[in-house]
Structure formats: C-alpha cells, structure tokens
Amino acid sequence: MHKLLATLGLAAALVLPATVSAQTGAVVGGTAPGKAGVAEVVKLTATVTAVDKATRDVTLKGPQGNELTLTAGPEVKNFDQIKVGDQLNVEFIQALTLELKKGGGLVVARTEQKGAAAAKPGEKPAAAAGRQVTIVADVIATDPAKQTITLKGPKQTVDMRIPNPEQFKRVAKGDQVEATYTQAVAMVLAPAAKK
C-alpha cells in the first residue's frame, strides 16, 4: 500500500484538477484578522481500465478521459477483487491556512505528518491517505508600495502579495507566518456502472 499511497497525491494531481468542473465539489475560503484559509473538496468516479496482477498495477480513467496507473503494494489485501470496468469513488480534500504570529518566537521549521488506512481482508478494496505540512517562516521585509511581504522559511525565501490592505497593515518585520497545508484522498470500490 505504500506505493499506492505514495501515488495518491499524484493521482489527485493528474486525475482531479482537470475534472473539477465536471464533478461535485466546493471551494470555501475565509479571512479573519491575521488569518486566512481556503479549502476544496472534490468527489468523482474513476473507471478501472486495466489490472495487471503480476505488477499489481491498476489503471484508472477519470470522467474527462485522464488516465493514471497506480501500483497497489502488498498491504492492499483485496487487490484480487478489482476488475476492469469497476468504478472507484474518489474524494479529494485539500486546505491551506495562514496565520500571522505577532512578534515571532516560533522555530522556523517544516513539519509533516502522514496517515493511511486500508480495507480489512474480505471487504471491498479501499484506501485512504492524508498528510499535513506546517511551515513557520519569518517576515524579514514588507513593501507597502507593492503590498508584499518577504518570508524566510526553513528552505527558501519568498515574496507574498497581501491584496487585502487591512490584512497587510497587521504584518511587520519580525513577525512570523504559520502555513498549514492539509491533503486527504480516499478511494473506495463502487458497484459497476449500469449499462
């Protein structure tokens, strides 16, 4: 399942973005003083177009014709149940939050947490994976003319435009920004589509 889970993020990148407009989904965003966030949920159904039992490869085709091949590791207990023509229900969630930390004081760092789950033996094939990445960066400069701030993180320095004047005036050199990116993907074998 590690190979399968390692490619779930890639699956979402290849199969999902091109199909967002054709599938159910919602994008929600919001701001509060010193905080901003956006989240997206996409649900779609992909069809299994090929199964290679020797390599444990499964090829999926999204609703707009995008194809992706995933390799199911030995941890996927119910691999033999997957057949060409099966439908997989896929749900993809991603969210980004930014929070201003006045005066700093946090360690500039990048942390990551991961989790995974699989179906029990005898159940329909299913897998879920999630990860959360948090980055703390120092505000090393502000440019009121361009309404940008310069953030120095653990690996790189970036300029970020703050389009909201009320949010921009809250930020000062010496503050920090904590960014948290959360991503989750779930796949479940669904009943075959009726012809």
Side-chain angles (χ1 to χ4, degrees):
M1 176 130 117
H2 295 298
K3 282 187 179 181
L4 174 62
L5 295 177
T7 59
L8 286 178
L10 179 60
L14 294 177
V15 176
L16 298 177
T19 61
V20 169
S21 62
Q23 297 304 305
T24 60
V27 176
V28 178
T31 62
K35 298 179 182 180
V38 64
E40 176 182 37
V41 178
V42 177
K43 296 178 183 181
L44 64 88
T45 301
T47 303
V48 176
T49 59
V51 178
D52 185 331
K53 293 192 186 276
T55 62
R56 296 179 61 90
D57 287 346
V58 179
T59 303
L60 300 175
K61 185 174 187 176
Q64 295 193 351
N66 300 354
E67 284 197 341
L68 171 71
T69 300
L70 303 174
T71 302
E75 298 84 2
V76 177
K77 306 288 186 228
N78 304 318
F79 180 79
D80 290 337
Q81 292 182 31
I82 301 172
K83 309 270 186 272
V84 171
D86 283 347
Q87 302 288 301
L88 285 176
N89 289 327
V90 180
E91 186 169 335
F92 180 79
I93 302 164
Q94 61 183 357
L96 175 66
T97 60
L98 299 170
E99 184 173 350
L100 179 64
K101 302 293 186 177
K102 292 300 292 173
L106 299 174
V107 175
V108 173
R110 178 187 189 279
T111 58
E112 184 170 346
Q113 298 175 346
K114 294 181 181 183
K120 295 177 183 169
E123 293 180 347
K124 290 194 177 287
R131 74 180 182 123
Q132 186 173 66
V133 178
T134 301
I135 296 174
V136 174
D138 290 329
V139 177
I140 60 171
T142 62
D143 184 343
K146 294 181 181 176
Q147 223 164 304
T148 61
I149 62 173
T150 303
L151 297 172
K152 182 173 177 54
K155 293 188 177 182
Q156 64 185 30
T157 300
V158 297
D159 289 332
M160 181 176 163
R161 186 170 184 284
I162 311 293
N164 181 325
E166 292 301 311
Q167 292 283 39
F168 179 79
K169 71 181 179 183
R170 296 179 186 283
V171 183
K173 183 177 177 179
D175 289 343
Q176 291 179 314
V177 173
E178 182 178 67
T180 302
Y181 175 72
T182 305
Q183 178 184 60
V185 178
M187 294 183 171
V188 179
L189 187 66
K194 298 194 189 254
K195 297 184 180 185

